[in-house]
Structure formats: structure tokens, C-alpha cells
């Protein structure tokens, strides 16, 4: 039947057009629930590990040979939402941005009057990366640690995500069609209780959500889909986690679809995550946009279908990117040394038969290359702020994936032991134990001089262990080798400030802002340089811009409060501190700043509990301990003040500001 299309209009600033068909398929379902579970291997959907979803799958259609488009969270979810492969949607690495020009599942359904809500559990899917388009509610409320608002802003518990999703479900008006997406992050590394323990937790969270859906108005007419976004190697082929290689331990994922109009069955044909969006649209009664590459999983598919996957993540280390095609029998992993596997007979991919089946290998590698190399323009680099948060999740890409491999780049499978060592070192750095990572990072940095991720992480470890001289020298060398990168300049600015080189810190910060004027982290860093030099007015202006760019960062508001307090703008400082505490109630610096304002206003007694809360939140904040003593002293509680000053003297190094002040104040009491 000839399809007639109707232009609905411009839906985004980038001039995106959304087309829908008038001659629509008959809807089988009224609503849609999509649950994506991060880092979930296909083999974990079993009665022992995931009993709830296994029971649900018995009455649904289970696709046992589903594969992701990329073993990375953002590229995989971009494919789920757009029905496009990574070379088509452009988000080929975490930290990239899905262009607004692409029609997504949410935008399509929202245009049809659906209520749309998304509830995600990790920063890697934050709204800034482009998947929020079309969602009325996009809840990516990952709590920040006030002591490390960038480094530790990573994820939230699945229980909290499901709570928020159920609350949204109950708050909507009955009778309205809805699309609900919930993303769970539990199986993602690190998993202190073990991988399977986290998988079981995700199973329980998903089951609770599905139960709530079944009980809600319209539950009986709701379609549901549960999918992993990628797997986890767990040591297969030497890979500890995911992202670097394209073996099925990280490509194959669970995929289950149930609800009205979906016949219960086990389907063993090759399918892809790009099939989710077109399947969902037809299931709900809409014809998918023509650009979507996926197929309707409710209908028969070609027996010889191959599905595409890729990873460009190895390029962060200066290694080769990989692409793959997988069918019901053959699978090719395309690189400088192609690998062909008979996955029907050899599902563990132990024997490369490319030499014995050269014609098949050549044809499949050529087909994979044709897809991989038809990429759109490179996406913009994520901000320094975003990259710092991504590092908290173990992802270390410093920029969008390069369009081509470096000449002579190593094959990642041959270097995977080095990557595993790097992941261990990165974990130590993220945990504040950088000293234990120095030897490995020094070795990796020397072995892979073109892999800037090794260089930058080594510089961070040197910085964290107090070796600022070597850290600063390495930061300078990295910037010289990679000019024009705002993140690297901002890293240099931070290290230079810590090393006491205010001029270089200012110049590097200004250079970062010249490249990326809206970089909140660089604006904040420049504000700190001004504050150090006593330029409170310049500092306040920089902090105001940083807070405007990232209004959810309590540290930026606190710094703004400090600058305003230095300018004597007490009421405005109070407002900034309270804004910070509204975001992070236990933010020690903000509590300390607000308490200082109260002391200055003659309300020392009211300041005491604020300083106590600050110390409870961050026992290393000596300024808050000193200020507590001052508040006690101003309140007439001299014995408490003296005890507090003595406590400061036991903790502060001699000749520091806190030690000197506590000595003088204690002497004055005596």
C-alpha cells in the first residue's frame, strides 16, 4: 500500500522534521513500558538469577539471539530510541550527543498525544546527551556527593528510579495513552556484592515496576519490552568489563516483549536493538519513520539477516575501532586482522576460521565496512564537567570517537591485558587511592604514548598523590600534543592552580573558555583563580556564569556565596548558600559559609549547628572546625571554644592558616 505522509512541523531548533503515516497499522496495545537494564548478559535471564523476568518471559516473546549495536550505554540507547545504527545517529561513544534531527520513539509518541516519562539511573544518559527530546518528564536525578560533585556524580539506586517512575505513573490522569522508559544501572561495574547479586537486584526492581503497571489503569492494554543495553565480558577473551571488544559476551543481550498482540514464543533468529523502536511504533498503531533501519519483531524476518555492531571506544587508547556483523551462523569482527566465527557451532568464539572461509570473511568484512564508514559529521566534544562525571563510571573517552584509526594503531584484542590493568588503576584513582595506581599508569603511559587517556589518568594520579611538579609537566606535554582541546586545558588550569602557578592557571582557563565559552567547569576554575588573588568581583562574575550554566552544581553556588560574602553582599551570599543546600543539604562548604554569615550578623548561637553539620558531612574541613570554635567563643561558651581550638591544632599542620589562627584564638581565651 502506498504510504501517505503528513508533515507535522519543526520539532527542534536544529530543524528536525517528523513524518508519520496516515494509513496506520491497527494498534494492538494502547501504552508502552520500556525497561532497559545496563550491562546485562543474555545468559543471566534464567530462573536462578532473574526469576521474576524469567517468569514474565514465559508469557511473552523472548529473543534469544538479540545483540546490541555497541557495548556502550549511550550509543546502545540511542539505537534503541531512534531505530538507527551508531554510524547513522552519530553517538558512537559515551559523552557524545544524539543529534536533534533524528526522530525518536518519545518524540513520535509525544506528537501523537502520549504522556511520556523517562527515569534513568546514570549520568551517562543525562539529558544533555540528547535523549530527553520528546519526554515531558526526563528524570535523571542522580544525587551529587557534595565532597566531590563532579567525580562522584555517577548513578542512583534502581529502587529510587522505580519509585520515581511509579509516582509519575500514579500522578497521570487515567485514560491517557503513555510511554514510560525506565533505565536500571545495577549490574554495571563496580558491583561490590558480585555481578549476579546486582543482576538479581535489577530483576526485583523490574518486577516491581511491571507489577505496578499491571495494577495501574490501562495496565491490561500496555505493551512492555525489557532489554539489556549490552553485556559484560567477565573475563571472556581477557576483557574484564565491556566496551573494548566485540565478542558476544558483551554483544548479546536479553530482549523480551510482552502484552496485548504479542504471541508467546522463543525466537532464535538474529535481532538487534534497532528493532525495538519500529516494533513499538507498529505495536501502538503507527508507521515508523522511513529512516529507521530496524524491523517489526512481531513479523517474520529474512533468514539470512546479519546485524551490525561496533565499538569506537578503543580509539580513546589510540587503538583500532572495531565493527561486526552477526548472523545465524557466521559472525565477522572487522579490523586489521579479521576474525570469522561459526557462532552456531562455536558460540564461545574460540576459533577464528577466517582463513578457512576467506570468501565469507571478505564479503562480511566488506559489508561491515560499508556501514561503519558511512558516518555523519563528528559530534561535539562533551564538556569537561561531563567528562569528569563519565570518568566516575569508568568511561574515559576524552572526545567523540575519531573518524578513522591512527596509522599503525594496535588491535585492542592484543592489548586487552593492558586495558584491564588500566581499568584497575582507574578504579583506584576514582576511589582516592591513586598511590596504588602510579606504577601501572607510569608503565602504560610509557608504552602507549599516543593513547592520551593513559597520559591524562597518570597526570591525575600524580596530582592526587601530591606530586604537582611532575603532574604539571605532564599536563603541559599533553596540551602540547593535543592543542585545541578545552578539557585538557581545563585540566592544566586545575593542576597549575594547585601548584601555585596562578598565571598559568588563569591563562589555561581562559584558553579553555576561548574554545568552549560555556564550559561551566572552566568558568568555575577561573573564578577560583580570581578569588585566590583577592579579585572578589571578577570571581563572583565567573561563578555566576558557572552556576547559570550548571544550576544543579552545589559547589558553584557555594563558591558564588563565598565571593559575594567577600564583597559584603550578605543577602545575596545567603541566597547562594541556600541554593547550594537546596541541591545538596549536606554540602559542608555551603553550611560553613552560611554559618559564617550568621556569626558576622551577630547570631553566633544560630551558627553553631550549621558548623556542626558541616563537620559531620566533611570531617576534613578544618575551616568549619575553626569557625565552630569562634561561634562557641562569640556565644560565651569558652570551654567549648577552647576544646575546639585544641582539636584543630591536633589536625592542622603547623604554619597553616587554621593552625596559626587556632593558636592565637586559644591563647586569647587563656
Amino acid at each position: 500500500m502506498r504510504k501517505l505522509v503528513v508533515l507535522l512541523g519543526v520539532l527542534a531548533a536544529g530543524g528536525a522534521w517528523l513524518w508519520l503515516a496516515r494509513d496506520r497499522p491497527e494498534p494492538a496495545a494502547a501504552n508502552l513500558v520500556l525497561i532497559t537494564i545496563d550491562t546485562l548478559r543474555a545468559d543471566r535471564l534464567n530462573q536462578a538469577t532473574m526469576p521474576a523476568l524469567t517468569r514474565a518471559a514465559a508469557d511473552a516473546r523472548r529473543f534469544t539471539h538479540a545483540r546490541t549495536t555497541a557495548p556502550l550505554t549511550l550509543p546502545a540507547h540511542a539505537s534503541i530510541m531512534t531505530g538507527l545504527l551508531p554510524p547513522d545517529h552519530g553517538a558512537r561513544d559515551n559523552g557524545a550527543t544524539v543529534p536533534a534531527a533524528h526522530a525518536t520513539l518519545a518524540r513520535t509518541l509525544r506528537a501523537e498525544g502520549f504522556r511520556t516519562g523517562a527515569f534513568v539511573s546514570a549520568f551517562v544518559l543525562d539529558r544533555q546527551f540528547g535523549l530527553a527530546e520528546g519526554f515531558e518528564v526526563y528524570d535523571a536525578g542522580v544525587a551529587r556527593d557534595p565532597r566531590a560533585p563532579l567525580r562522584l556524580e555517577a548513578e542512583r539506586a534502581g529502587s529510587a528510579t522505580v519509585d520515581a517512575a511509579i509516582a509519575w505513573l500514579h500522578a497521570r490522569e487515567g485514560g491517557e495513552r503513555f510511554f514510560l522508559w525506565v533505565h536500571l544501572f545495577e549490574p554495571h561495574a563496580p558491583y561490590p556484592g558480585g555481578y549476579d547479586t546486582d543482576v538479581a537486584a535489577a530483576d526485583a526492581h523490574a518486577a516491581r515496576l511491571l507489577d505496578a503497571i499491571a495494577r495501574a489503569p490501562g495496565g491490561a492494554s500496555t505493551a512492555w519490552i525489557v532489554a539489556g543495553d549490552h553485556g559484560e565480558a567477565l573475563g571472556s577473551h581477557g576483557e574484564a568489563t565491556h566496551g573494548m571488544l566485540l565478542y558476544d559476551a558483551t554483544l548479546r543481550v536479553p530482549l523480551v516483549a510482552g502484552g496485548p498482540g504479542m504471541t508467546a514464543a522463543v525466537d532464535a533468529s538474529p535481532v538487534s536493538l534497532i528493532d525495538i523502536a519500529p516494533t513499538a511504533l507498529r505495536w501502538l498503531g503507527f508507521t515508523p519513520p522511513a529512516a529507521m533501519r530496524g524491523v517489526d519483531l512481531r513479523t517474520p524476518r529474512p533468514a539470512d539477516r546479519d546485524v551490525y555492531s561496533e565499538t569506537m571506544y578503543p580509539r580513546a587508547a589510540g587503538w583500532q575501532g572495531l565493527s561486526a556483523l552477526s548472523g545465524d551462523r557466521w559472525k565477522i569482527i572487522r579490523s586489521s586482522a579479521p576474525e570469522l566465527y561459526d557462532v552456531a557451532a562455536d558460540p564461545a568464539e574460540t576459533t577464528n576460521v577466517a582463513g578457512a572461509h576467506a570468501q565469507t570473511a571478505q564479503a562480511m568484512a566488506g559489508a561491515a565496512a560499508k556501514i561503519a564508514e558511512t558516518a555523519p559529521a563528528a559530534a561535539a566534544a562533551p564538556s569537561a564537567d561531563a567528562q569528569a562525571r563519565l570518568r566516575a563510571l569508568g568511561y574515559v573517552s576524552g572526545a567523540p570517537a575519531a573518524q578513522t584509526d591512527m596509522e599503525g594503531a594496535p588491535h585492542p584484542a592484543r592489548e586487552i591485558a593492558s586495558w584491564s590493568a588500566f581499568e584497575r588503576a582507574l578504579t583506584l584513582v576514582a576511589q582516592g587511592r591513586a598511590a596504588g595506581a602510579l606504577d601501572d599508569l607510569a608503565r602504560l603511559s610509557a608504552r602507549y604514548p599516543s593513547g592520551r587517556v593513559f597520559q591524562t589518568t597518570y597526570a591525575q594520579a600524580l596530582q592526587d598523590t601530591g606530586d604537582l611538579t611532575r603532574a604539571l609537566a605532564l599536563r603541559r606535554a599533553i596540551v602540547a600534543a593535543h592543542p585545541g582541546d578545552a578539557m585538557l586545558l581545563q585540566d592544566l588550569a586545575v593542576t597549575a592552580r594547585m601548584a601555585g602557578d596562578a598565571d598559568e592557571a588563569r591563562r589555561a582557563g581562559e584558553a579553555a573558555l576561548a574554545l568552549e565559552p560555556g564550559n561551566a567547569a572552566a568558568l568555575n576554575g577561573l573564578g577560583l583563580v580570581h578569588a585566590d588573588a583577592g579579585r572578589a568581583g571578577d570571581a563572583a562574575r565567573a561563578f555566576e556564569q558557572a552556576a547559570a550554566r550548571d544550576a544543579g552544581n552545589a559547589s558553584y553556588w557555594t563558591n558564588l556565596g563565598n565571593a559575594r560574602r567577600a564583597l559584603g553582599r550578605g543577602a545575596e551570599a545567603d541566597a547562594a548558600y541556600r541554593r547550594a543546600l537546596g541541591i545538596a543539604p549536606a554540602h559542608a562548604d555551603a553550611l560553613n559559609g552560611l554559618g559564617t554569615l550568621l556569626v558576622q550578623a551577630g547570631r553566633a548561637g544560630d551558627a553553631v549547628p550549621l558548623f556542626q553539620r558541616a563537620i559531620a558531612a566533611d570531617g576534613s574541613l578544618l575551616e568549619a572546625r575553626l569557625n565552630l570554635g569562634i561561634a562557641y567563643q562569640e556565644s560565651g561558651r569558652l570551654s567549648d571554644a577552647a576544646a575546639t581550638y585544641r582539636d584543630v591544632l591536633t589536625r592542622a599542620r603547623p604554619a597553616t592558616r587554621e593552625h596559626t589562627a587556632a593558636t592565637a584564638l586559644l591563647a586569647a581565651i587563656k
Side-chain angles (χ1 to χ4, degrees):
M1 182 184 298
R2 182 175 177 270
K3 297 178 180 177
L4 302 176
V5 294
V6 179
L7 179 62
L8 294 185
V10 179
L11 297 184
W17 302 98
L18 178 62
W19 296 77
L20 293 178
R22 277 185 181 154
D23 52 327
R24 295 169 172 167
E26 188 69 24
N31 312 303
L32 174 65
V33 173
L34 171 63
I35 302 173
T36 57
I37 303 178
D38 221 288
T39 325
L40 181 59
R41 289 170 58 109
D43 60 9
R44 271 9 185 216
L45 185 56
N46 59 60
Q47 185 62 41
T49 312
M50 304 189 79
L53 285 180
T54 300
R55 287 193 298 270
D59 295 322
R61 185 168 298 182
R62 178 176 176 176
F63 300 90
T64 57
H65 286 76
R67 289 181 174 86
T68 186
T69 57
L72 293 166
T73 300
L74 180 67
H77 279 88
S79 291
I80 289 171
M81 293 299 175
T82 64
L84 299 174
L85 297 170
D88 297 320
H89 60 59
R92 307 183 81 173
D93 207 344
N94 289 327
T97 301
V98 182
H102 299 312
T104 65
L105 190 52
R107 285 173 57 191
T108 303
L109 294 177
R110 182 60 186 149
E112 288 297 314
F114 277 58
R115 303 298 302 272
T116 54
F119 300 84
V120 305
S121 297
F123 176 77
V124 70
L125 295 176
D126 190 73
R127 63 169 49 250
Q128 67 183 276
F129 302 126
L131 292 181
E133 292 287 337
F135 284 106
E136 293 177 273
V137 173
Y138 195 89
D139 182 346
V142 180
R144 303 188 184 201
D145 187 318
R147 294 164 295 182
L150 300 185
R151 182 168 58 87
L152 295 180
E153 184 181 309
E155 60 179 289
R156 67 174 168 183
S159 56
T161 303
V162 170
D163 285 345
I166 292 175
W168 176 84
L169 184 70
H170 289 163
R172 68 183 179 85
E173 296 181 13
E176 296 176 293
R177 301 184 79 182
F178 66 87
F179 166 39
L180 171 62
W181 167 38
V182 173
H183 163 256
L184 303 173
F185 201 65
E186 261 75 9
H188 195 285
Y191 17 82
Y195 178 75
D196 284 350
T197 299
D198 275 10
V199 169
D203 181 61
H205 298 323
R208 184 161 67 91
L209 178 61
L210 289 176
D211 182 65
I213 295 295
R215 296 171 183 270
S221 59
T222 298
W224 58 269
I225 300 173
V226 178
D229 67 340
H230 56 76
E232 185 82 326
L234 300 178
S236 173
H237 292 270
E239 186 174 25
T241 56
H242 59 271
M244 277 286 148
L245 306 179
L246 290 182
Y247 300 108
D248 274 353
T250 62
L251 292 191
R252 285 186 55 191
V253 293
L255 177 57
V256 181
M262 183 65 76
T263 305
V266 174
D267 189 324
S269 62
V271 300
S272 169
L273 293 185
I274 64 170
D275 299 329
I276 290 176
T279 299
L281 287 173
R282 289 194 174 275
W283 203 350
L284 295 169
F286 307 105
T287 300
M292 287 188 175
R293 284 181 177 255
V295 300
D296 186 348
L297 293 174
R298 300 175 306 157
T299 61
R301 292 170 298 285
D304 59 349
R305 186 189 189 203
D306 293 329
V307 298
Y308 175 85
S309 308
E310 70 170 35
T311 180
M312 300 302 141
Y313 192 40
R315 290 175 177 171
W319 303 342
Q320 295 174 20
L322 302 174
S323 55
L325 279 180
S326 306
D328 58 355
R329 179 183 178 187
W330 299 112
K331 174 183 173 183
I332 189 76
I333 301 177
R334 171 183 163 267
S335 68
S336 60
E339 301 169 65
L340 181 69
Y341 297 100
D342 183 346
V343 289
D346 178 23
E349 298 162 291
T350 60
T351 305
N352 179 5
V353 295
H357 300 272
Q359 187 173 359
T360 298
Q362 183 177 4
M364 292 187 73
K370 187 175 181 180
I371 298 172
E373 294 168 4
T374 56
S383 69
D385 175 273
Q387 292 181 62
R389 298 175 204 175
L390 290 172
R391 283 195 291 266
L393 298 174
Y395 294 119
V396 295
S397 298
Q403 295 298 294
T404 58
D405 294 327
M406 296 176 57
E407 185 175 353
H411 190 302
R414 297 171 182 166
E415 313 298 326
I416 197 62
S418 292
W419 188 256
S420 294
F422 174 70
E423 287 187 315
R424 291 192 295 270
L426 185 68
T427 298
L428 291 173
V429 174
Q431 293 174 343
R433 299 187 290 156
L438 285 174
D439 289 346
D440 277 342
L441 290 173
R443 176 179 58 81
L444 293 167
S445 185
R447 181 172 178 179
Y448 304 106
S450 61
R452 73 177 186 179
V453 65
F454 302 123
Q455 316 296 321
T456 56
T457 307
Y458 184 34
Q460 185 65 49
L462 290 169
Q463 178 177 307
D464 290 352
T465 53
D467 192 344
L468 296 178
T469 299
R470 286 205 293 165
L472 185 57
L474 185 51
R475 295 285 194 203
R476 289 169 178 155
I478 294 168
V479 167
H482 304 279
D485 189 303
M487 181 202 75
L488 299 180
L489 284 161
Q490 171 57 15
D491 286 344
L492 173 59
V494 171
T495 307
R497 176 174 176 262
M498 293 179 66
D501 192 334
D503 183 62
E504 182 163 22
R506 177 188 57 78
R507 288 186 287 106
E510 289 175 346
L513 288 169
L515 291 169
E516 191 179 323
N519 190 307
L523 287 164
N524 181 68
L526 192 59
L528 291 171
V529 171
H530 288 315
D532 292 343
R535 298 187 294 270
D538 290 335
R541 284 187 286 275
F543 293 138
E544 284 167 356
Q545 293 178 65
R549 291 286 181 176
D550 185 0
N553 192 311
S555 291
Y556 297 169
W557 289 106
T558 300
N559 291 339
L560 177 57
N562 292 338
R564 288 173 172 175
R565 179 162 54 86
L567 291 168
R569 293 155 53 182
E572 293 177 70
D574 181 276
Y577 290 137
R578 293 186 186 279
R579 183 70 178 267
L581 292 171
I583 298 165
H587 197 292
D589 287 335
L591 290 164
N592 179 64
L594 193 58
T596 302
L597 283 178
L598 290 175
V599 172
Q600 292 173 341
R603 298 170 55 193
D606 293 335
V608 166
L610 291 172
F611 293 132
Q612 291 172 332
R613 287 171 56 194
I615 294 167
D618 184 358
S620 67
L621 187 60
L622 294 181
E623 183 179 337
R625 292 182 184 273
L626 183 66
N627 286 339
L628 176 61
I630 294 170
Y632 281 143
Q633 186 172 351
E634 292 291 312
S635 303
R637 298 168 59 177
L638 299 185
S639 62
D640 288 334
T644 303
Y645 294 146
R646 293 190 189 98
D647 181 46
V648 171
L649 291 174
T650 65
R651 297 171 183 271
R653 295 192 307 274
T656 60
R657 182 174 65 91
E658 289 81 8
H659 193 282
T660 302
T663 301
L665 289 165
L666 183 60
I669 290 178
K670 295 178 178 178

